Amino acid sequence: MSTLWRVADVVSSIPETETARTIGLRVNGLNGNLAGQHIDIRLTADDGYTAVRSYSVSRADMEETLEITVDELANGEVSPYLVRELAVGDQLEIRGPVGGWFVWKPTDTNPVQLIAGGSGIVPLMSMIRAHHASENPAQFRLLYSLKSPEAGFYREELQTLGQESRKLTIDYVYTRKAPEGWPNTPQRLTAETLLANILPTDAVPDIFICGQTVFVETVAEWLVQAGYPAASIKTERFGGTGGTR
Amino acid sequence: MGIISSGFHGRRQTGNPALPPGQYETASFPVLTAGPAPRIPTDEWEFFISTESGQRHAWSWDTFMALPQMDIHTDIHCVTSWSKLGTTWRGVSLDTLFEDVETNCRFTMAHSYGGYTTNVPLPDLLGGRAWVAWEFDGEPLERAHGGPARLLVPHLYFWKSAKWINGIELTQDDVPGFWESNGYHIHGDPWREERYS
Ligand SMILES: Cc1cc2nc3c(=O)[nH]c(=O)nc-3n(C[C@H](O)[C@H](O)[C@H](O)COP(=O)(O)OP(=O)(O)OC[C@H]3O[C@@H](n4cnc5c(N)ncnc54)[C@H](O)[C@@H]3O)c2cc1C
């Protein structure tokens, strides 16, 4: 059952950015997961003290292994340990994968607009990978809002997918530092920039927004004001207070 | 004891008896909702209780505000592991709202503007344990946190405290609501860690 704590072996650990790491976890009897779900991770200190945090799963295409990508929050309790200390061969405990709402299934037929703020890309990447691996012809469009090009997760894979896939379009917005030769100056995400870079209302997309709480709140609010039906918008908030910068 | 991570030290807060198992204390007030926040002007707002016999009790904002109001001091516990201790609310006790309601039902479904639902057994709503709250920390409840009014059932995980509350339907059976149909526990007691189904 998904509600029990299970032991996971760390089978890979790869730096994603200067502050983030993608961690592979093998769990006996896992039996797959849906794109968009998350797990809970429990760490236990040597005196029995425990801390639990949620992390989205970044791919749904492996049977007994999960991948998560953790961004280090300076002064955080759990994330610095996962990013800096945890090594291949270590073990930890997980619960899940859980969640039946913020998920995309290969049988869903509507066009899909994904909107990621920073590490909010993680569950959306799982959807992009599941969609790419399926025969599902639905149009996918990703808007990825980033502080700087270096802060992007899954950079090469997204670049390749963006070039090769006819059913995926990727747009980037840079809020502090843009790549060289980029046409726009970096600035706070605005409703105008957002609306110029997503599927229009008449495409009637299913919309998934993920990132820090204020980013998600702000974007969802703009979309509703622009006429996207509230019922078509699904959100996942990672916490924190970070905004649209 | 679980798997020990020798390099992990953590910030001990578990000595605090106010924290249910697996919870940590936060000073902020995180927002968690399945979708965008609906906008309900108080002059269009209504709160209802409907029973198995088809009876419907309803309050407008004005008649609701004319009911006895209570200050509530309580801790709140979110299933995503944060707890906020010592919060202050103002609202109407469900004991007051249920005063003239005749029913044999043992369960309820809370309905929110925007379509959200959550199921709560009737005994969990009565006995001074649940309110319809419209003020938080001395200020009108913000829309992001469920304003103009939300259900407040602080002894259960906070998803049971339905934001943008519209009404309560009495039901014969315990029917899963929104999160309860999406992998979360049918009851949601934080002291028993009833997180997932
Ligand atoms: C469903 C879900 C999925 C998640 N998926 C991911 C994921 O894929 N990758 C990932 O890196 N994180 C993810 N998170 C966030 C993660 O659970 C932790 O909150 C985060 O790693 C910080 O934990 P910490 O112990 O390091 O910091 P804490 O010690 O918990 O926090 C330290 C301080 O930072 C604030 N804070 C807490 N969370 C954040 C945040 N996300 N951003 C900024 N400030 C914050 C706290 O309020 C506190 O003041 C997810 C959260 C949820 C609820």
Side-chain angles (χ1 to χ4, degrees), chain A residues 1 3 38 40 43-49 51 53 75-77 81 91 93 95 100-101 217 221 224 230 233-235 237, chain B residues 1-5 7-14 24 31-36 39 81 143 178-179 182 184 193 195-197:
Chain A
M1 267 306 295
T3 59
H38 71 268
D40 288 350
L43 298 179
T44 306
D46 51 17
D47 64 350
Y49 169 80
R53 295 291 184 279
N75 304 319
E77 179 174 24
Y81 173 82
Q91 291 188 320
E93 286 172 296
R95 180 169 58 193
W101 165 249
E217 292 298 314
E221 190 71 36
V224 172
I233 304 173
K234 296 185 180 183
T235 57
R237 295 160 177 82
Chain B
M1 200 184 290
I3 301 292
I4 289 170
S5 303
F8 173 69
H9 305 297
R11 284 197 216 108
R12 256 133 275 254
Q13 289 183 336
T14 39
Y24 68 96
V31 177
L32 291 165
T33 317
R39 191 182 294 274
S81 296
R143 191 158 62 95
F178 177 81
W179 286 119
N182 281 291
Y184 288 82
E193 273 210 275
R195 292 178 198 274
Y196 304 121
S197 61

Short mmCIF file of all heavy atoms in Angstrom, two decimals, chain A residues 1 3 38 40 43-49 51 53 75-77 81 91 93 95 100-101 217 221 224 230 233-235 237, chain B residues 1-5 7-14 24 31-36 39 81 143 178-179 182 184 193 195-197:
data_model
loop_
_atom_site.label_atom_id
_atom_site.label_comp_id
_atom_site.label_asym_id
_atom_site.label_seq_id
_atom_site.Cartn_x
_atom_site.Cartn_y
_atom_site.Cartn_z
N MET A 1 0.83 -1.21 0.00
CA MET A 1 0.00 0.00 0.00
C MET A 1 0.86 1.25 0.00
O MET A 1 1.92 1.31 0.58
CB MET A 1 -0.90 0.02 1.24
CG MET A 1 -2.27 -0.57 1.04
SD MET A 1 -3.17 0.15 -0.35
CE MET A 1 -3.40 1.84 0.22
N THR A 3 0.53 3.87 1.62
CA THR A 3 0.59 4.65 2.85
C THR A 3 1.67 4.18 3.81
O THR A 3 1.93 4.81 4.81
CB THR A 3 -0.76 4.59 3.59
OG1 THR A 3 -1.03 3.23 3.86
CG2 THR A 3 -1.85 5.18 2.76
N HIS A 38 3.63 12.63 -6.22
CA HIS A 38 4.79 12.89 -5.38
C HIS A 38 4.97 11.78 -4.34
O HIS A 38 4.07 10.96 -4.15
CB HIS A 38 4.67 14.25 -4.68
CG HIS A 38 3.63 14.30 -3.60
ND1 HIS A 38 2.33 14.69 -3.84
CD2 HIS A 38 3.69 14.00 -2.30
CE1 HIS A 38 1.65 14.64 -2.71
NE2 HIS A 38 2.45 14.21 -1.74
N ASP A 40 6.58 11.09 -0.22
CA ASP A 40 7.09 11.71 1.01
C ASP A 40 8.39 11.01 1.35
O ASP A 40 8.50 9.78 1.22
CB ASP A 40 6.11 11.52 2.17
CG ASP A 40 4.87 12.39 2.01
OD1 ASP A 40 4.86 13.26 1.11
OD2 ASP A 40 3.91 12.18 2.77
N LEU A 43 13.51 11.22 6.82
CA LEU A 43 14.89 11.06 7.27
C LEU A 43 14.87 10.86 8.78
O LEU A 43 14.10 11.49 9.49
CB LEU A 43 15.70 12.32 6.95
CG LEU A 43 15.85 12.68 5.47
CD1 LEU A 43 16.67 13.96 5.34
CD2 LEU A 43 16.49 11.54 4.69
N THR A 44 15.74 9.97 9.26
CA THR A 44 15.83 9.71 10.70
C THR A 44 17.25 9.98 11.16
O THR A 44 18.20 9.44 10.58
CB THR A 44 15.45 8.24 10.99
OG1 THR A 44 14.16 7.97 10.44
CG2 THR A 44 15.41 7.97 12.49
N ALA A 45 17.40 10.83 12.16
CA ALA A 45 18.73 11.09 12.74
C ALA A 45 19.08 9.97 13.71
O ALA A 45 18.22 9.14 14.05
CB ALA A 45 18.73 12.44 13.46
N ASP A 46 20.35 9.93 14.18
CA ASP A 46 20.76 8.76 14.96
C ASP A 46 20.09 8.67 16.33
O ASP A 46 20.11 7.64 16.97
CB ASP A 46 22.29 8.64 15.07
CG ASP A 46 22.91 9.95 15.53
OD1 ASP A 46 22.16 10.80 16.06
OD2 ASP A 46 24.14 10.11 15.37
N ASP A 47 19.44 9.75 16.76
CA ASP A 47 18.70 9.65 18.03
C ASP A 47 17.21 9.41 17.81
O ASP A 47 16.41 9.51 18.74
CB ASP A 47 18.90 10.93 18.85
CG ASP A 47 18.32 12.14 18.15
OD1 ASP A 47 17.95 12.01 16.96
OD2 ASP A 47 18.23 13.21 18.77
N GLY A 48 16.84 9.11 16.56
CA GLY A 48 15.44 8.78 16.29
C GLY A 48 14.60 9.95 15.82
O GLY A 48 13.46 9.77 15.41
N TYR A 49 15.16 11.15 15.84
CA TYR A 49 14.41 12.32 15.35
C TYR A 49 14.14 12.16 13.85
O TYR A 49 15.01 11.74 13.09
CB TYR A 49 15.23 13.59 15.60
CG TYR A 49 14.67 14.80 14.90
CD1 TYR A 49 13.60 15.50 15.43
CD2 TYR A 49 15.21 15.23 13.68
CE1 TYR A 49 13.07 16.60 14.79
CE2 TYR A 49 14.68 16.33 13.02
CZ TYR A 49 13.61 17.01 13.58
OH TYR A 49 13.09 18.09 12.92
N ALA A 51 12.27 13.76 10.10
CA ALA A 51 11.70 14.88 9.36
C ALA A 51 11.14 14.34 8.05
O ALA A 51 11.74 13.46 7.44
CB ALA A 51 12.76 15.95 9.08
N ARG A 53 9.40 15.36 4.21
CA ARG A 53 9.10 16.37 3.20
C ARG A 53 8.56 15.66 1.95
O ARG A 53 8.87 14.50 1.71
CB ARG A 53 10.34 17.16 2.79
CG ARG A 53 10.94 18.02 3.88
CD ARG A 53 10.08 19.21 4.26
NE ARG A 53 10.75 20.06 5.25
CZ ARG A 53 10.79 19.82 6.54
NH1 ARG A 53 10.18 18.75 7.03
NH2 ARG A 53 11.42 20.63 7.36
N ASN A 75 19.63 26.94 4.33
CA ASN A 75 19.10 26.88 5.70
C ASN A 75 17.91 25.95 5.87
O ASN A 75 17.31 25.91 6.93
CB ASN A 75 18.69 28.27 6.22
CG ASN A 75 19.84 29.23 6.15
OD1 ASN A 75 20.96 28.85 6.45
ND2 ASN A 75 19.57 30.45 5.72
N GLY A 76 17.55 25.23 4.81
CA GLY A 76 16.45 24.27 4.96
C GLY A 76 16.89 23.11 5.84
O GLY A 76 18.08 22.85 6.01
N GLU A 77 15.93 22.38 6.35
CA GLU A 77 16.25 21.27 7.23
C GLU A 77 16.61 20.01 6.43
O GLU A 77 17.55 19.31 6.75
CB GLU A 77 15.06 20.97 8.15
CG GLU A 77 15.33 19.80 9.08
CD GLU A 77 14.23 19.58 10.11
OE1 GLU A 77 13.09 20.00 9.85
OE2 GLU A 77 14.53 18.99 11.15
N TYR A 81 20.58 18.36 3.03
CA TYR A 81 21.08 17.01 3.25
C TYR A 81 20.92 16.18 1.98
O TYR A 81 21.84 15.48 1.55
CB TYR A 81 20.34 16.34 4.43
CG TYR A 81 20.71 14.89 4.57
CD1 TYR A 81 21.88 14.52 5.23
CD2 TYR A 81 19.93 13.89 3.99
CE1 TYR A 81 22.25 13.19 5.32
CE2 TYR A 81 20.29 12.56 4.08
CZ TYR A 81 21.46 12.21 4.74
OH TYR A 81 21.83 10.89 4.82
N GLN A 91 20.45 4.63 2.23
CA GLN A 91 19.03 4.28 2.22
C GLN A 91 18.25 5.38 2.92
O GLN A 91 18.77 6.10 3.77
CB GLN A 91 18.80 2.96 2.97
CG GLN A 91 19.36 1.75 2.24
CD GLN A 91 18.94 0.46 2.92
OE1 GLN A 91 18.93 0.37 4.15
NE2 GLN A 91 18.59 -0.54 2.12
N GLU A 93 13.68 6.40 3.76
CA GLU A 93 12.33 5.83 3.70
C GLU A 93 11.42 6.72 2.85
O GLU A 93 11.52 7.95 2.90
CB GLU A 93 11.75 5.71 5.10
CG GLU A 93 12.37 4.58 5.89
CD GLU A 93 11.92 4.59 7.32
OE1 GLU A 93 12.24 5.57 8.03
OE2 GLU A 93 11.22 3.65 7.72
N ARG A 95 7.21 7.18 1.32
CA ARG A 95 5.80 6.81 1.36
C ARG A 95 5.21 7.29 0.04
O ARG A 95 5.50 8.38 -0.41
CB ARG A 95 5.15 7.52 2.54
CG ARG A 95 3.69 7.26 2.73
CD ARG A 95 3.23 7.79 4.06
NE ARG A 95 3.47 9.23 4.19
CZ ARG A 95 3.38 9.88 5.35
NH1 ARG A 95 3.12 9.25 6.45
NH2 ARG A 95 3.60 11.17 5.39
N GLY A 100 -3.93 11.76 -6.88
CA GLY A 100 -4.71 11.33 -8.02
C GLY A 100 -5.31 12.51 -8.75
O GLY A 100 -6.17 12.35 -9.61
N TRP A 101 -4.83 13.71 -8.41
CA TRP A 101 -5.45 14.92 -8.96
C TRP A 101 -4.50 15.65 -9.90
O TRP A 101 -4.84 15.91 -11.06
CB TRP A 101 -5.86 15.83 -7.79
CG TRP A 101 -6.18 17.24 -8.17
CD1 TRP A 101 -5.46 18.35 -7.87
CD2 TRP A 101 -7.31 17.70 -8.91
NE1 TRP A 101 -6.07 19.47 -8.37
CE2 TRP A 101 -7.19 19.10 -9.01
CE3 TRP A 101 -8.40 17.05 -9.51
CZ2 TRP A 101 -8.15 19.87 -9.68
CZ3 TRP A 101 -9.34 17.81 -10.17
CH2 TRP A 101 -9.21 19.20 -10.25
N GLU A 217 -0.07 30.89 -7.22
CA GLU A 217 -1.25 31.74 -6.96
C GLU A 217 -1.39 32.82 -8.01
O GLU A 217 -2.46 33.06 -8.54
CB GLU A 217 -1.09 32.45 -5.60
CG GLU A 217 -1.15 31.57 -4.40
CD GLU A 217 -2.48 30.87 -4.28
OE1 GLU A 217 -3.52 31.53 -4.44
OE2 GLU A 217 -2.48 29.65 -4.05
N GLU A 221 -4.32 33.09 -10.93
CA GLU A 221 -5.20 34.25 -10.89
C GLU A 221 -5.24 34.96 -12.26
O GLU A 221 -6.32 35.29 -12.77
CB GLU A 221 -4.64 35.21 -9.82
CG GLU A 221 -5.52 36.35 -9.45
CD GLU A 221 -6.73 35.89 -8.65
OE1 GLU A 221 -6.59 34.95 -7.85
OE2 GLU A 221 -7.81 36.47 -8.86
N VAL A 224 -7.32 32.91 -14.77
CA VAL A 224 -8.77 33.01 -14.56
C VAL A 224 -9.27 34.36 -15.08
O VAL A 224 -10.28 34.44 -15.77
CB VAL A 224 -9.12 32.82 -13.07
CG1 VAL A 224 -10.59 33.12 -12.82
CG2 VAL A 224 -8.79 31.40 -12.63
N ALA A 230 -11.70 28.06 -14.47
CA ALA A 230 -11.02 27.61 -13.26
C ALA A 230 -10.95 26.09 -13.21
O ALA A 230 -9.98 25.51 -12.73
CB ALA A 230 -11.74 28.15 -12.02
N ILE A 233 -7.83 24.31 -14.59
CA ILE A 233 -6.52 24.65 -14.03
C ILE A 233 -6.22 23.78 -12.81
O ILE A 233 -6.98 23.78 -11.84
CB ILE A 233 -6.47 26.13 -13.62
CG1 ILE A 233 -6.81 27.01 -14.83
CG2 ILE A 233 -5.11 26.50 -13.05
CD1 ILE A 233 -6.96 28.48 -14.51
N LYS A 234 -5.12 23.04 -12.86
CA LYS A 234 -4.69 22.26 -11.71
C LYS A 234 -3.36 22.81 -11.20
O LYS A 234 -2.50 23.15 -11.99
CB LYS A 234 -4.54 20.79 -12.09
CG LYS A 234 -5.87 20.19 -12.48
CD LYS A 234 -5.81 18.71 -12.75
CE LYS A 234 -7.20 18.23 -13.13
NZ LYS A 234 -7.26 16.78 -13.33
N THR A 235 -3.26 22.89 -9.88
CA THR A 235 -2.07 23.54 -9.33
C THR A 235 -1.39 22.64 -8.30
O THR A 235 -2.02 21.87 -7.61
CB THR A 235 -2.47 24.85 -8.63
OG1 THR A 235 -3.44 24.58 -7.62
CG2 THR A 235 -3.04 25.85 -9.61
N ARG A 237 1.56 23.35 -5.26
CA ARG A 237 2.38 24.36 -4.60
C ARG A 237 3.48 23.70 -3.80
O ARG A 237 3.21 22.83 -3.00
CB ARG A 237 1.51 25.21 -3.68
CG ARG A 237 0.47 26.02 -4.41
CD ARG A 237 -0.64 26.41 -3.44
NE ARG A 237 -1.65 27.26 -4.05
CZ ARG A 237 -2.64 26.79 -4.79
NH1 ARG A 237 -2.76 25.50 -5.01
NH2 ARG A 237 -3.53 27.62 -5.31
N MET B 1 12.53 1.95 14.99
CA MET B 1 13.18 3.12 14.39
C MET B 1 13.49 2.82 12.93
O MET B 1 13.83 1.69 12.58
CB MET B 1 14.45 3.45 15.17
CG MET B 1 14.93 4.87 14.96
SD MET B 1 16.48 5.21 15.80
CE MET B 1 15.98 5.20 17.50
N GLY B 2 13.40 3.82 12.09
CA GLY B 2 13.60 3.61 10.66
C GLY B 2 15.06 3.55 10.27
O GLY B 2 15.93 3.30 11.10
N ILE B 3 15.32 3.79 9.00
CA ILE B 3 16.67 3.81 8.47
C ILE B 3 17.37 5.08 8.99
O ILE B 3 16.82 6.17 8.86
CB ILE B 3 16.61 3.87 6.93
CG1 ILE B 3 15.86 2.67 6.38
CG2 ILE B 3 17.99 4.02 6.34
CD1 ILE B 3 16.54 1.37 6.56
N ILE B 4 18.54 4.93 9.53
CA ILE B 4 19.22 6.10 10.09
C ILE B 4 20.16 6.74 9.06
O ILE B 4 20.96 6.06 8.42
CB ILE B 4 19.98 5.72 11.37
CG1 ILE B 4 18.93 5.44 12.46
CG2 ILE B 4 20.93 6.83 11.81
CD1 ILE B 4 19.47 4.83 13.69
N SER B 5 20.01 8.04 8.89
CA SER B 5 20.91 8.79 8.02
C SER B 5 21.92 9.48 8.93
O SER B 5 21.59 10.46 9.59
CB SER B 5 20.13 9.83 7.22
OG SER B 5 19.12 9.20 6.48
N GLY B 7 24.45 11.38 8.53
CA GLY B 7 24.82 12.78 8.30
C GLY B 7 23.67 13.74 8.53
O GLY B 7 23.82 14.95 8.40
N PHE B 8 22.50 13.21 8.86
CA PHE B 8 21.32 14.07 9.02
C PHE B 8 21.11 14.40 10.49
O PHE B 8 21.04 13.51 11.33
CB PHE B 8 20.09 13.37 8.45
CG PHE B 8 18.82 14.13 8.72
CD1 PHE B 8 18.57 15.33 8.09
CD2 PHE B 8 17.90 13.64 9.63
CE1 PHE B 8 17.41 16.04 8.36
CE2 PHE B 8 16.74 14.35 9.90
CZ PHE B 8 16.50 15.55 9.26
N HIS B 9 21.02 15.67 10.79
CA HIS B 9 20.83 16.06 12.19
C HIS B 9 19.46 16.69 12.41
O HIS B 9 18.79 16.39 13.38
CB HIS B 9 21.96 16.99 12.62
CG HIS B 9 23.29 16.35 12.38
ND1 HIS B 9 23.67 15.20 13.02
CD2 HIS B 9 24.28 16.64 11.50
CE1 HIS B 9 24.87 14.82 12.58
NE2 HIS B 9 25.25 15.68 11.64
N GLY B 10 19.05 17.53 11.48
CA GLY B 10 17.69 18.06 11.58
C GLY B 10 17.53 19.11 12.65
O GLY B 10 18.45 19.40 13.41
N ARG B 11 16.36 19.69 12.66
CA ARG B 11 16.04 20.71 13.68
C ARG B 11 14.95 20.14 14.54
O ARG B 11 13.81 20.07 14.15
CB ARG B 11 15.51 21.96 12.99
CG ARG B 11 16.59 22.74 12.35
CD ARG B 11 16.06 24.13 12.07
NE ARG B 11 16.64 24.56 10.83
CZ ARG B 11 15.98 24.66 9.71
NH1 ARG B 11 14.70 24.39 9.66
NH2 ARG B 11 16.58 25.04 8.62
N ARG B 12 15.33 19.72 15.71
CA ARG B 12 14.39 19.06 16.60
C ARG B 12 13.25 19.95 17.02
O ARG B 12 13.46 21.01 17.59
CB ARG B 12 15.12 18.59 17.85
CG ARG B 12 15.39 17.13 17.86
CD ARG B 12 16.83 16.88 18.26
NE ARG B 12 17.66 16.96 17.07
CZ ARG B 12 18.18 15.90 16.50
NH1 ARG B 12 17.99 14.73 17.02
NH2 ARG B 12 18.90 16.02 15.41
N GLN B 13 12.06 19.54 16.74
CA GLN B 13 10.91 20.26 17.27
C GLN B 13 9.95 19.26 17.88
O GLN B 13 8.93 19.63 18.41
CB GLN B 13 10.14 20.96 16.14
CG GLN B 13 10.86 22.15 15.55
CD GLN B 13 9.98 22.80 14.51
OE1 GLN B 13 9.11 22.17 13.94
NE2 GLN B 13 10.20 24.07 14.27
N THR B 14 10.30 17.97 17.78
CA THR B 14 9.34 16.95 18.17
C THR B 14 9.10 16.90 19.67
O THR B 14 8.19 16.25 20.11
CB THR B 14 9.76 15.55 17.69
OG1 THR B 14 11.16 15.46 17.87
CG2 THR B 14 9.40 15.31 16.26
N TYR B 24 5.81 19.38 11.52
CA TYR B 24 6.76 20.36 11.99
C TYR B 24 6.09 21.72 12.04
O TYR B 24 5.11 21.96 11.33
CB TYR B 24 8.02 20.40 11.11
CG TYR B 24 7.81 20.93 9.72
CD1 TYR B 24 8.05 22.26 9.41
CD2 TYR B 24 7.38 20.09 8.69
CE1 TYR B 24 7.86 22.75 8.13
CE2 TYR B 24 7.18 20.56 7.41
CZ TYR B 24 7.42 21.89 7.13
OH TYR B 24 7.21 22.37 5.86
N VAL B 31 -0.45 28.18 1.54
CA VAL B 31 -1.73 28.03 0.87
C VAL B 31 -1.71 26.74 0.08
O VAL B 31 -0.77 26.47 -0.65
CB VAL B 31 -1.97 29.20 -0.12
CG1 VAL B 31 -3.28 29.00 -0.86
CG2 VAL B 31 -1.97 30.52 0.60
N LEU B 32 -2.72 25.91 0.24
CA LEU B 32 -2.82 24.70 -0.56
C LEU B 32 -4.24 24.56 -1.07
O LEU B 32 -5.18 24.51 -0.29
CB LEU B 32 -2.48 23.46 0.28
CG LEU B 32 -1.04 23.33 0.72
CD1 LEU B 32 -0.91 22.31 1.81
CD2 LEU B 32 -0.17 22.93 -0.46
N THR B 33 -4.40 24.56 -2.36
CA THR B 33 -5.71 24.42 -2.97
C THR B 33 -5.53 23.65 -4.26
O THR B 33 -4.47 23.69 -4.85
CB THR B 33 -6.31 25.81 -3.31
OG1 THR B 33 -6.07 26.70 -2.24
CG2 THR B 33 -7.78 25.72 -3.56
N ALA B 34 -6.57 22.98 -4.71
CA ALA B 34 -6.46 22.19 -5.93
C ALA B 34 -6.44 23.06 -7.18
O ALA B 34 -5.93 22.67 -8.21
CB ALA B 34 -7.62 21.21 -6.00
N GLY B 35 -6.99 24.26 -7.10
CA GLY B 35 -7.06 25.12 -8.28
C GLY B 35 -7.09 26.58 -7.86
O GLY B 35 -6.76 26.89 -6.72
N PRO B 36 -7.46 27.47 -8.77
CA PRO B 36 -7.51 28.90 -8.42
C PRO B 36 -8.60 29.21 -7.39
O PRO B 36 -9.53 28.44 -7.20
CB PRO B 36 -7.85 29.58 -9.75
CG PRO B 36 -7.81 28.54 -10.79
CD PRO B 36 -7.87 27.21 -10.15
N ARG B 39 -14.05 33.83 -6.40
CA ARG B 39 -14.31 35.16 -5.86
C ARG B 39 -15.79 35.25 -5.52
O ARG B 39 -16.64 35.15 -6.39
CB ARG B 39 -13.95 36.19 -6.94
CG ARG B 39 -13.90 37.63 -6.49
CD ARG B 39 -13.58 38.53 -7.69
NE ARG B 39 -12.25 38.32 -8.23
CZ ARG B 39 -11.16 38.94 -7.77
NH1 ARG B 39 -11.25 39.79 -6.78
NH2 ARG B 39 -9.98 38.70 -8.30
N SER B 81 2.46 18.19 6.25
CA SER B 81 3.41 18.12 7.37
C SER B 81 3.65 19.41 8.14
O SER B 81 4.39 19.40 9.11
CB SER B 81 4.78 17.55 6.97
OG SER B 81 4.64 16.22 6.56
N ARG B 143 -8.98 35.93 0.61
CA ARG B 143 -9.58 35.02 -0.38
C ARG B 143 -8.72 33.77 -0.57
O ARG B 143 -9.23 32.66 -0.66
CB ARG B 143 -9.75 35.76 -1.71
CG ARG B 143 -10.59 35.03 -2.71
CD ARG B 143 -11.16 35.99 -3.73
NE ARG B 143 -10.09 36.64 -4.46
CZ ARG B 143 -9.62 36.22 -5.64
NH1 ARG B 143 -10.14 35.17 -6.23
NH2 ARG B 143 -8.65 36.86 -6.23
N PHE B 178 -13.55 15.43 -2.29
CA PHE B 178 -12.57 15.65 -3.36
C PHE B 178 -11.23 14.98 -3.08
O PHE B 178 -10.80 14.08 -3.79
CB PHE B 178 -12.39 17.16 -3.59
CG PHE B 178 -11.36 17.46 -4.62
CD1 PHE B 178 -11.69 17.40 -5.96
CD2 PHE B 178 -10.06 17.77 -4.26
CE1 PHE B 178 -10.72 17.65 -6.93
CE2 PHE B 178 -9.09 18.02 -5.22
CZ PHE B 178 -9.42 17.97 -6.55
N TRP B 179 -10.52 15.41 -2.03
CA TRP B 179 -9.21 14.81 -1.76
C TRP B 179 -9.37 13.36 -1.32
O TRP B 179 -8.51 12.52 -1.61
CB TRP B 179 -8.44 15.59 -0.69
CG TRP B 179 -7.90 16.90 -1.19
CD1 TRP B 179 -8.22 18.14 -0.72
CD2 TRP B 179 -6.96 17.10 -2.26
NE1 TRP B 179 -7.54 19.10 -1.44
CE2 TRP B 179 -6.76 18.50 -2.39
CE3 TRP B 179 -6.28 16.24 -3.14
CZ2 TRP B 179 -5.92 19.06 -3.34
CZ3 TRP B 179 -5.43 16.80 -4.09
CH2 TRP B 179 -5.26 18.19 -4.18
N ASN B 182 -9.10 11.24 -4.02
CA ASN B 182 -7.83 11.36 -4.73
C ASN B 182 -6.66 10.90 -3.87
O ASN B 182 -5.58 11.50 -3.90
CB ASN B 182 -7.62 12.80 -5.20
CG ASN B 182 -8.42 13.11 -6.45
OD1 ASN B 182 -8.12 12.59 -7.53
ND2 ASN B 182 -9.45 13.91 -6.32
N TYR B 184 -6.44 10.58 -0.44
CA TYR B 184 -6.31 10.99 0.95
C TYR B 184 -7.30 10.25 1.85
O TYR B 184 -8.30 9.70 1.38
CB TYR B 184 -6.42 12.51 1.07
CG TYR B 184 -5.18 13.17 0.51
CD1 TYR B 184 -5.03 13.39 -0.86
CD2 TYR B 184 -4.11 13.46 1.34
CE1 TYR B 184 -3.86 13.92 -1.39
CE2 TYR B 184 -2.94 14.00 0.82
CZ TYR B 184 -2.83 14.23 -0.54
OH TYR B 184 -1.67 14.74 -1.05
N GLU B 193 -2.29 10.08 12.44
CA GLU B 193 -1.63 10.17 11.13
C GLU B 193 -2.48 9.56 10.02
O GLU B 193 -1.99 8.77 9.21
CB GLU B 193 -0.24 9.53 11.16
CG GLU B 193 0.83 10.52 11.62
CD GLU B 193 2.19 10.24 11.01
OE1 GLU B 193 2.90 9.40 11.57
OE2 GLU B 193 2.53 10.85 9.97
N ARG B 195 -3.29 10.15 7.02
CA ARG B 195 -2.97 11.02 5.89
C ARG B 195 -3.55 10.49 4.58
O ARG B 195 -4.28 11.17 3.89
CB ARG B 195 -1.46 11.15 5.72
CG ARG B 195 -0.79 11.91 6.84
CD ARG B 195 0.72 11.95 6.63
NE ARG B 195 1.40 12.28 7.86
CZ ARG B 195 1.63 13.53 8.30
NH1 ARG B 195 1.27 14.56 7.57
NH2 ARG B 195 2.23 13.72 9.44
N TYR B 196 -3.14 9.28 4.22
CA TYR B 196 -3.49 8.75 2.91
C TYR B 196 -4.41 7.55 3.05
O TYR B 196 -4.42 6.89 4.08
CB TYR B 196 -2.22 8.35 2.15
CG TYR B 196 -1.23 9.49 2.02
CD1 TYR B 196 0.06 9.37 2.53
CD2 TYR B 196 -1.59 10.68 1.40
CE1 TYR B 196 0.97 10.40 2.42
CE2 TYR B 196 -0.68 11.71 1.28
CZ TYR B 196 0.60 11.57 1.79
OH TYR B 196 1.49 12.60 1.67
N SER B 197 -5.16 7.26 1.99
CA SER B 197 -6.09 6.13 2.07
C SER B 197 -5.38 4.83 1.75
O SER B 197 -4.34 4.83 1.15
CB SER B 197 -7.26 6.33 1.11
OG SER B 197 -6.78 6.41 -0.21
#
